[in-house]
Amino acid sequence: MRDELERLIKREGADIFGTSCVSGFVSERFAGLPFAVTIGMRLLDAVMDQVCGGPTKLYFHHYRTANAFLDMCALKCALLLQRSGFRAVAIPASQTTSAEGIAADFPHKTAANLAGLGFMGKSGLFISADYGPRVRLATVLTDCPLPNGQMMPPQCGSCRVCVQACPCGAIVGNAWRQNGSRDDIVDAALCSRFMKDTYGMIGRGSVCGICAAVCPVGRHI
Ligand code: SF4
Ligand code: SF4
């Protein structure tokens, strides 16, 4: 099944594919779906390079288009699993569902990390081994048994580029730890408030992207 899923995802044009067991990371309502398919798209460098000083309208459009593309790939993947006799749910590429509006239904980066596709950066972003944080992700949760990859430990080392570039100081600067709190890494509420207050004219303040754009992993200029 894994090979069939990978063929589908690559045929659709996605850049990243991986599988993992996320049992213990899914909420109660997805408890019967302990395996994950990670699908990812590399963002366009020509768009991302313009975001180092702050988000652009082009970036916001690109971000939304990438999410729509990934949602479609994830839907096709979930349908293939269902046709093959399994249960599957496509988790949206971008969706906030917590009371504070800053957490998603399921963290895509957890599945991607467990799949061995990259590591968690000081920025709190998933850093793809191939493309750095210049990626968008989606996840399909399923009861189809799928293999884990080799989880990648943090590889930021002494780099602090994102810490210094964040305009509101939301990135604490600590290395990510598996069972650590998100607050040890990034002040998500401060980041969210800053985006709303500062970049309200772009996607009503829902994107920034500076920490993703400046990361040396995945930068090609
Ligand atoms: S998205 Fe912007 S404000 Fe938020 S942590 Fe990254 S650089 Fe800072
Ligand atoms: S900018 Fe440096 S510290 Fe921040 S996530 Fe990238 S490699 Fe890690």
Side-chain angles (χ1 to χ4, degrees):
M1 196 70 225
R2 186 192 186 283
D3 291 348
E4 209 177 326
L5 290 166
E6 183 166 18
R7 274 196 299 277
L8 167 75
I9 293 312
K10 291 290 161 73
R11 202 168 55 234
E12 289 300 320
D15 300 296
I16 294 172
F17 170 86
T19 61
S20 55
C21 175
V22 291
S23 167
F25 295 96
V26 286
S27 62
E28 189 64 26
R29 69 192 174 114
F30 297 132
L33 306 172
F35 299 97
V37 179
T38 294
I39 305 160
M41 191 196 108
R42 178 186 180 187
L43 295 170
L44 294 172
D45 279 329
V47 175
M48 292 306 293
D49 290 342
Q50 295 177 359
V51 178
C52 293
T56 61
K57 288 187 174 171
L58 182 63
Y59 169 61
F60 178 61
H61 179 74
H62 185 45
Y63 179 93
R64 283 205 305 185
T65 309
N67 289 340
F69 168 70
L70 287 169
D71 283 344
M72 192 52 71
C73 291
L75 175 63
K76 290 184 180 184
C77 182
L79 287 171
L80 173 60
L81 283 159
Q82 179 164 276
R83 275 184 220 116
S84 307
F86 300 103
R87 291 170 65 78
V89 166
I91 304 294
S94 182
Q95 182 197 53
T96 52
T97 52
S98 72
E100 303 82 25
I102 51 178
D105 241 356
F106 174 80
H108 303 297
K109 53 191 175 184
T110 298
N113 187 218
L114 290 169
L117 296 166
F119 62 95
M120 309 296 284
K122 287 181 186 171
S123 57
L125 297 174
F126 171 72
I127 314 292
S128 153
D130 295 324
Y131 312 120
R134 296 177 170 213
V135 294
R136 295 294 305 160
L137 300 171
T139 310
V140 175
L141 296 177
T142 178
D143 58 2
C144 172
L146 293 166
N148 254 336
Q150 182 69 42
M151 194 177 129
M152 221 188 253
Q155 307 200 355
C156 293
S158 59
C159 177
R160 287 177 56 84
V161 169
C162 59
V163 181
Q164 283 155 357
C166 175
C168 67
I171 303 173
V172 181
N174 292 325
W176 178 86
R177 288 180 301 119
Q178 187 166 18
N179 296 315
S181 148
R182 179 171 71 174
D183 295 345
D184 294 341
I185 302 294
V186 60
D187 185 336
L190 177 59
C191 162
S192 176
R193 213 166 42 242
F194 174 79
M195 290 194 298
K196 280 196 182 73
D197 292 348
T198 316
Y199 304 130
M201 77 302 275
I202 300 173
R204 292 199 293 255
S206 61
V207 289
C208 165
I210 293 174
C211 49
V214 299
C215 180
V217 187
R219 272 195 90 173
H220 300 280
I221 59 166

